[in-house]
Amino acid sequence: MLSRLLLLLTTFLASTQFDGNGRATGIGVQAQYILGLGIADITGPVVETNMMGYASLAQTDTGLHMRQRSRAWIVADASNSSNRIVFINADIAMGDTGIRRSIVQQLSSEFPGVYSNENIALVSTHQHSGVGGYLENLLPQITSLGHVKQTADAIVAGTVLAVKRAHASLKPGKLSLGNTTVLDANRNRSPSAYLANPAEERARYQYDQDKELTLLRFDDTSGNARGFLSFFAVHGTSIYENNTLISGDNKGMAAYLYESLVEPNAMPGNNTFVAGFTQSNVGDTSPNTEGAFCESPGQPWDGQPCEFEHSTCGNRTEDCHGRGPGFRISDFESNRIIAQRQVDGAKTLMSQSLAPVSGPVKWVHTYMNMSFRSFKLSNGSTAQTCPPAMGFSFAGGTTDGPGAFDFIQGDNSSTPQNPFWEIVKGAVTPLPNPEQVACQQPKPILLNTGFAHTPYNWSPDTVDIQMLRVGQLVMLIMPGELTTMAGRRMREAIRASLISSGVVGKDAYVVIAGPANTYAHYVTTREEYAIQRYEGASTIFGPFTLESYIDKYSSLVSFLAPNATGSPPSDPAPPDLSGKAISLQTAVIQDNPTFGKKFGDILGDVRTSSPYHAGETVVAQFVGANPRNNLRLEGTFLSVDRLVNGQWKAVKSDSHPSTRYEWNRTNTVLGFSTVNISWYVPFSIPGTYRLTYFGDAKPLIGNINSFTGHSSNFTIV
């Protein structure tokens, strides 16, 4: 009953004008949409936890560069506000079945009949510098030493809060849509695989990656911008694998830059304008726009471009690294540049008059089991997908994050470089049977994950299939990373189906968002699959994966029609693996201050003998405690305070890219640790400042206690 009242109320609000005091003044012009936007903190444990993206066991976090956020957009049809969608853009590496399940359960419980498994999309920015351990299947848990509940809980709690804030902000508004070209913000990292696509198909495109940034603008009824949702394909790998500070990479940075541009006085996360930089067909894109080069000191190939076909240096992958536009300064500078180029594209569109969006709000969702799924190709022949499997080149990595040992990209041979791996791979996952070998050809199988179920499923067999429609815009919510050409084929096929079936007119605009909901790794074209670079080796359901998705999404187009009702048939939902989750991460045992000190005491102070200037870095070291004791969600581990009229005012937090929070365990047995807080002064605002540290200490016995530490005062001129 309460949910029905809420729906009636929002419909009433959509057709009512208000005076300055919020009082209804009469019936006004009917708005077509009711819009809500929200943002919240999802940052998990910033220390002693493996990071997600590069799958490197050595990449264990030691602090914080910028907090991770979830951003949410709600669009409801004002004429029938039960027709609504929720689009979540989370600063995480990929969507996950278990995370989404928990989000849906909480939202559908709090808003019964309003938000459901069908109309909620969980999309990731695909950044590689976030906290790991949250995915449900075993394979991505291996480097994180199992499931990390604290990470998962933070993502769920923050995402639910973002949606609740969006719901609370619902009010009538308008939508508009446009696109622009963004150059020098991405590069194809597997050009040799792209070149395997038909020449006549490649000739239709100027670039070997998509350069279009698409933007959906959210306005109130007066035309004032409330935010936007943009789609652009570039990997979240600007910050390298050797980084151990939690960050949002280039998409998270872009959102911060735009939001702070609109609301410069708001602390990050406290803004009302919500900027969304969403991932698209990201599979073979890279932000390392300068190309890949050999970093092999003492070798004749040092400093030379990596070998083209296999991205090797001296026949090995480890030394082949992509370079971002700011590589001569740092990967963090490259991150800022790639973010700014996306921001500039969004600014271009936000300054223009865009095409109005009009039409119904619809959605469709189903589950599809990809193991041995048979379907018809467009030529009438039958094709089949396969149970999941990873090829040898999966272990070769990419130029954004090279692999190890003697694995290389582009290895589609049944006799790989080192026969040793053929012998030992059966000890890791079950050896593939002849049917699986034939199905996955020409991929030589390294990890037969679809047949590995101990202690629980290594990879998903069943994926979420979802589309969201807002007027002429249709969003394909994809459970994997489509390559550039795979994405082009997908968009083209679904758009043609939308138009030919009369569901959407010739102004139909289709975008891809992902990896979302379930993480099913990569999706290449069949031609790229045959080359077996990293992306092909990671196309886990075999060579007909893309065609299977095109077939299924096309079959669901009718459910997006204005008067469509009902739901499509569905395969069973993926199993809930949360009860089987294993975690090898040890708990925090105790924190103690060093002898003669208290928590928060200064160990290394700021400079007080002379003032700081723009371009300098202020650093202070404190007696610390483990930040896993309190994630301080919606809060901060630090602040930069400025003395204003005799009162201290926080002007920077741990979400500003100019600050760093770094934790170091100095004695595990005794529980000693230190915290370094640093602030790069980007420009001079003269005054008196201090650094503040907020911590939480866990005694061996008793409750966790909060404390605060301050540096000495310092001046900036």
Side-chain angles (χ1 to χ4, degrees):
M1 179 61 71
L2 178 60
S3 63
R4 291 176 183 169
L5 289 174
L6 287 171
L7 294 177
L8 289 171
L9 177 61
T10 47
T11 302
F12 168 75
L13 292 174
S15 59
T16 305
Q17 293 180 336
F18 299 88
D19 65 16
N21 295 315
R23 294 188 293 263
T25 59
I27 301 300
V29 177
Q30 178 80 14
Q32 184 165 9
Y33 300 112
I34 304 169
L35 309 176
L37 303 87
I39 182 173
D41 186 358
I42 60 170
T43 313
V46 301
V47 303
E48 300 184 319
T49 308
N50 189 249
M51 298 167 73
M52 186 63 232
Y54 289 110
S56 169
L57 188 61
Q59 195 183 23
T60 297
D61 55 11
T62 61
L64 184 61
H65 170 232
M66 295 176 67
R67 285 187 174 263
Q68 298 170 248
R69 309 272 177 192
S70 270
R71 293 169 172 84
W73 293 260
I74 300 173
V75 181
D77 191 329
S79 64
N80 181 3
S81 60
S82 62
N83 289 340
R84 65 175 63 199
I85 60 167
V86 182
F87 189 105
I88 298 161
N89 192 43
D91 285 339
I92 55 178
M94 58 278 294
D96 175 67
T97 303
I99 292 291
R100 182 175 183 271
R101 183 189 304 115
S102 296
I103 291 167
V104 168
Q105 286 173 348
Q106 291 192 28
L107 289 173
S108 60
S109 175
E110 184 153 355
F111 304 100
V114 181
Y115 305 117
S116 69
N117 192 49
E118 283 70 40
N119 65 0
I120 298 172
L122 174 64
V123 183
S124 71
T125 60
H126 197 48
Q127 58 99 337
H128 285 48
S129 292
V131 188
Y134 66 89
L135 283 96
E136 191 168 58
N137 291 105
L138 186 70
L139 182 62
Q141 291 180 4
I142 291 174
T143 54
S144 62
L145 303 180
H147 187 258
V148 180
K149 186 176 184 297
Q150 196 175 28
T151 306
D153 288 349
I155 295 170
V156 171
T159 301
V160 169
L161 179 58
V163 176
K164 289 169 67 174
R165 286 173 171 169
H167 183 88
S169 77
L170 283 166
K171 59 184 179 181
K174 301 181 291 185
L175 296 170
S176 54
L177 180 68
N179 63 70
T180 190
T181 300
V182 176
L183 299 178
D184 301 321
N186 61 5
R187 183 186 182 101
N188 196 306
R189 69 186 187 187
S190 287
S192 60
Y194 179 88
L195 288 172
N197 293 306
E200 61 272 20
E201 182 180 33
R202 289 186 281 110
R204 295 169 52 200
Y205 304 99
Q206 184 176 359
Y207 301 103
D208 60 0
Q209 72 282 155
D210 287 341
K211 301 293 187 181
E212 296 301 302
L213 184 146
T214 299
L215 185 142
L216 180 66
R217 174 174 170 143
F218 287 63
D219 286 335
D220 64 20
T221 53
S222 299
N224 300 308
R226 299 182 62 196
F228 62 80
L229 188 54
S230 68
F231 303 82
F232 182 75
V234 59
H235 248 92
T237 50
S238 289
I239 302 177
Y240 291 156
E241 183 180 337
N242 60 359
N243 165 60
T244 58
L245 299 180
I246 295 302
S247 182
D249 211 272
N250 60 68
K251 297 282 186 184
M253 174 66 87
Y256 160 79
L257 290 173
Y258 206 108
E259 288 165 354
S260 62
L261 180 72
V262 176
E263 297 177 80
N265 296 322
M267 281 291 188
N270 292 336
N271 44 288
T272 57
F273 184 98
V274 181
F277 290 86
T278 302
Q279 200 54 265
S280 191
N281 49 319
V282 65
D284 53 0
T285 68
S286 172
N288 294 311
T289 53
E290 302 301 299
F293 292 84
C294 295
E295 298 177 2
S296 312
Q299 299 296 332
W301 52 81
D302 181 41
Q304 299 299 310
C306 303
E307 187 270 336
F308 182 74
E309 297 288 342
H310 305 290
S311 298
T312 54
C313 300
N315 211 31
R316 297 179 68 86
T317 63
E318 290 95 326
D319 294 346
C320 178
H321 293 274
R323 293 177 177 177
F327 84 97
R328 294 189 184 279
I329 300 173
S330 73
D331 50 344
F332 285 92
E333 175 62 9
S334 292
N335 186 60
R336 185 198 64 79
I337 293 170
I338 297 298
Q340 187 62 53
R341 287 172 181 167
Q342 294 174 77
V343 166
D344 291 343
K347 285 169 62 178
T348 296
L349 291 169
M350 291 294 284
S351 66
Q352 297 176 357
S353 177
L354 305 180
V357 172
S358 62
V361 177
K362 303 292 289 185
W363 66 89
V364 61
H365 175 277
T366 190
Y367 292 109
M368 180 169 67
N369 190 321
M370 293 286 280
S371 291
F372 296 129
R373 176 181 184 260
S374 293
F375 62 97
K376 293 286 187 182
L377 295 173
S378 58
N379 62 8
S381 63
T382 299
Q384 181 178 254
T385 54
C386 321
M390 316 297 292
F392 273 72
S393 294
F394 160 74
T398 72
T399 55
D400 292 337
F405 303 110
D406 45 15
F407 294 104
I408 63 170
Q409 294 195 73
D411 182 1
N412 62 6
S413 167
S414 59
T415 55
Q417 286 197 105
N418 190 340
F420 171 76
W421 299 114
E422 279 290 340
I423 298 170
V424 302
K425 70 180 186 181
V428 181
T429 59
L431 289 170
N433 59 30
E435 184 181 19
Q436 172 76 324
V437 171
C439 188
Q440 292 278 354
Q441 283 287 354
K443 177 197 293 177
I445 297 172
L446 175 64
L447 297 176
N448 191 26
T449 57
F451 290 82
H453 306 294
T454 303
Y456 42 92
N457 295 352
W458 282 50
S459 293
D461 321 282
T462 300
V463 298
D464 291 83
I465 303 295
Q466 188 178 39
M467 289 188 285
L468 306 179
R469 177 186 179 183
V470 179
Q472 69 267 35
L473 175 66
V474 174
M475 294 168 271
L476 310 182
I477 311 301
M478 300 296 303
E481 303 178 50
L482 280 75
T483 61
T484 299
M485 194 63 86
R488 289 168 176 169
R489 292 182 189 178
M490 185 84 195
R491 290 195 304 261
E492 187 174 77
I494 304 307
R495 184 175 185 273
S497 182
L498 288 164
I499 295 171
S500 64
S501 62
V503 171
V504 185
K506 291 186 177 180
D507 61 346
Y509 198 101
V510 178
V511 295
I512 286 170
N517 293 338
T518 302
Y519 187 56
H521 298 266
Y522 281 73
V523 184
T524 63
T525 67
R526 268 186 280 167
E527 295 87 350
E528 293 165 348
Y529 185 90
I531 301 302
Q532 281 294 295
R533 281 181 63 91
Y534 177 84
E535 295 80 16
S538 303
T539 297
I540 61 175
F541 298 123
F544 290 98
T545 299
L546 173 61
E547 288 81 2
S548 180
Y549 284 137
I550 290 174
D551 172 74
K552 189 64 175 181
Y553 280 78
S554 297
S555 74
L556 300 175
V557 159
S558 63
F559 289 92
L560 300 180
N563 298 318
T565 58
S567 299
S570 178
D571 289 332
D576 184 346
L577 303 178
S578 57
K580 300 180 179 181
I582 295 172
S583 178
L584 301 179
Q585 186 184 51
T586 57
V588 178
I589 305 301
Q590 65 173 334
D591 293 293
N592 284 304
T594 49
F595 300 116
K597 298 287 186 180
K598 303 187 301 296
F599 289 115
D601 279 357
I602 283 286
L603 295 175
D605 208 353
V606 299
R607 188 175 74 223
T608 58
S609 58
S610 60
Y612 289 90
H613 300 81
E616 290 191 90
T617 299
V618 185
V619 183
Q621 186 178 79
F622 299 84
V623 176
N626 197 315
R628 289 167 57 200
N629 296 325
N630 182 353
L631 301 182
R632 294 189 167 266
L633 289 169
E634 298 296 313
T636 183
F637 291 118
L638 67 87
S639 66
V640 179
D641 307 324
R642 184 168 182 254
L643 193 61
V644 180
N645 297 325
Q647 300 292 321
W648 289 107
K649 178 185 178 182
V651 294
K652 302 289 180 185
S653 71
D654 61 15
S655 284
H656 285 88
S658 59
T659 64
R660 298 284 191 279
Y661 169 90
E662 298 173 87
W663 179 84
N664 182 42
R665 172 68 77 193
T666 57
N667 189 306
T668 302
V669 174
L670 297 177
F672 297 165
S673 65
T674 61
V675 164
N676 279 20
I677 290 175
S678 58
W679 175 43
Y680 173 77
V681 184
F683 49 83
S684 292
I685 300 180
T688 300
Y689 293 80
R690 70 181 183 186
L691 301 181
T692 297
Y693 162 43
F694 301 101
D696 303 89
K698 182 183 184 297
L700 185 60
I701 300 173
N703 297 324
I704 293 171
N705 298 301
S706 299
F707 61 87
T708 303
H710 302 290
S711 73
S712 296
N713 299 351
F714 60 92
T715 58
I716 292 179
V717 296

